[in-house]
Structure formats: C-alpha cells, structure tokens
Amino acid sequence: MIEWFTVVFGEPKEQAKLFTIVISTMLALIILLLNQWFINSRAKKERLITKLEELTTAVHGLELEAMFITTPIPGTGLPNQENILNLKTCAAEIDKLCSLYFNDLPIKTDIAEKVINRKIVEQYYLQTATTDREHNPHSIANTVIAIDSWSKETSKKIEILIQRHIK
C-alpha cells in the first residue's frame, strides 16, 4: 500500500494534486459540519418558540378558567366540572412544559388548587346555608387578587424565558 502511494504520488505534480484533494475534502467536511450546526440551532430555536407559545396559551387558559370559576358570569350559575377539568388541564400543561423545556425558571401552578379549594368551600356554604352567592365577598376578592398577582408574576417569567431562549 505504501509502495503504491509513493509510486503514484512520488512526483511533485502528483503531490500537489494530493494536497489539493486533502484540503478540498477538509474544507467540505468543515462546511458540512457548520451547516448541520446552523440547521440544528435554528430547529432548536423554532421548537423553543413553539413551546413558549404553548406555555403562554396554557397560562392564559389557566388564568381565564380560574377567573371564570372564581367569578362566573351572572346568570350562568356555578361553573361545572368541565371548567374545573379545563383548569386542571391547563395547570398540567404548564407543569409539563416547564419540566421538559423551561426547568430553569418554573411556573408554579398551585393557584389552580387554591381556586378549586375555594370553589369547594363556596359550594359547601351554598348547599348548607340559604345565603346569597356573595356570602363572603372578601374571599372572592382575595382569590381574584391572588389570580391577578399570579398572572403578573407568570408574565414576567415568560418574558424572561423569551429573552433567554429566543432573543
């Protein structure tokens, strides 16, 4: 093998061809690796954008369901199990996205349980007493304030995530 190599590339003209082939091959490999790196980087960024959009949608869904459960539209009655299920689904989606993609800045979803627990207590009072739905407006106001506070804190976290992963 070495004899063949020295015979074929023994002349300076043939050595120049070998040198050109080696340089061209190395350059092609470098360009291929750089291209793959750019493609993977762009795909990762697009995936993170998609996941941030899903996270934002889930956060807004949780906020809307929590507000609806806390203060349903007059005349519509108490929220049904579907609203509570939607609230839990949004909370689960937020937990999943944060644990899989954004575990460096998790979003707490304990507000969902607080809203559900408050609704259970309210329904108990409505069933056991003949008082008006507004039996404890202070409790409703506190829950709305807690949801609003959670929403503002979560919006700040999402903005940090956007700055960190996208820009």
Side-chain angles (χ1 to χ4, degrees), residues 30 34 91 107 109 120:
I30 290 171
L34 279 173
I107 295 173
T109 56
I120 290 169

Side-chain angles (χ1 to χ4, degrees), residues 23-37:
I23 294 296
S24 298
T25 304
M26 288 176 45
L27 188 60
L29 284 174
I30 290 171
I31 290 172
L32 175 73
L33 292 174
L34 279 173
N35 188 32
Q36 282 301 111
W37 181 75

Side-chain angles (χ1 to χ4, degrees), residues 55-65 90 94 150-151 155 158:
L55 180 64
T56 303
T57 301
V59 164
H60 289 301
L62 187 140
E63 181 183 3
L64 289 173
E65 288 295 333
C90 289
I94 292 168
W150 177 86
S151 176
S155 294
I158 289 176

Side-chain angles (χ1 to χ4, degrees), residues 63 66-67 70 110-111 114-115 118 139-154:
E63 181 183 3
M67 287 300 241
T70 303
D110 57 345
I111 191 75
K114 289 177 185 174
V115 168
R118 187 202 159 278
S139 174
I140 293 171
N142 284 342
T143 306
V144 170
I145 290 170
I147 294 168
D148 188 50
S149 171
W150 177 86
S151 176
K152 287 178 183 174
E153 177 185 328
T154 304

Side-chain angles (χ1 to χ4, degrees):
M1 178 78 177
I2 295 178
E3 283 180 32
W4 174 84
F5 195 74
T6 55
V7 169
V8 172
F9 297 108
E11 296 179 26
K13 186 177 180 181
E14 297 301 320
Q15 289 174 355
K17 285 182 185 178
L18 176 64
F19 181 74
T20 305
I21 291 170
V22 169
I23 294 296
S24 298
T25 304
M26 288 176 45
L27 188 60
L29 284 174
I30 290 171
I31 290 172
L32 175 73
L33 292 174
L34 279 173
N35 188 32
Q36 282 301 111
W37 181 75
F38 284 124
I39 288 171
N40 289 340
S41 176
R42 183 176 49 210
K44 181 180 178 183
K45 193 175 216 178
E46 287 173 2
R47 185 175 56 250
L48 284 175
I49 289 170
T50 302
K51 295 306 174 184
L52 276 168
E53 288 172 350
E54 289 176 18
L55 180 64
T56 303
T57 301
V59 164
H60 289 301
L62 187 140
E63 181 183 3
L64 289 173
E65 288 295 333
M67 287 300 241
F68 182 74
I69 289 171
T70 303
T71 56
I73 299 169
T76 60
L78 293 174
N80 56 22
Q81 287 299 104
E82 184 178 332
N83 298 113
I84 292 175
L85 180 64
N86 289 343
L87 182 71
K88 288 182 178 181
T89 303
C90 289
E93 181 73 11
I94 292 168
D95 290 338
K96 177 186 77 170
L97 289 169
C98 285
S99 65
L100 290 176
Y101 297 98
F102 309 110
N103 57 4
D104 54 336
L105 194 62
I107 295 173
K108 295 178 182 176
T109 56
D110 57 345
I111 191 75
E113 286 301 317
K114 289 177 185 174
V115 168
I116 292 169
N117 291 339
R118 187 202 159 278
K119 184 49 63 181
I120 290 169
V121 168
E122 181 180 283
Q123 287 177 341
Y124 170 78
Y125 280 119
L126 285 174
Q127 290 171 357
T128 59
T130 58
T131 60
D132 184 29
R133 175 167 169 30
E134 302 294 323
H135 68 279
N136 191 352
H138 185 67
S139 174
I140 293 171
N142 284 342
T143 306
V144 170
I145 290 170
I147 294 168
D148 188 50
S149 171
W150 177 86
S151 176
K152 287 178 183 174
E153 177 185 328
T154 304
S155 294
K156 288 178 186 175
K157 286 184 178 183
I158 289 176
E159 188 62 35
I160 291 170
L161 288 171
I162 290 170
Q163 294 293 328
R164 191 178 293 169
H165 295 290
I166 305 301
K167 295 183 179 179

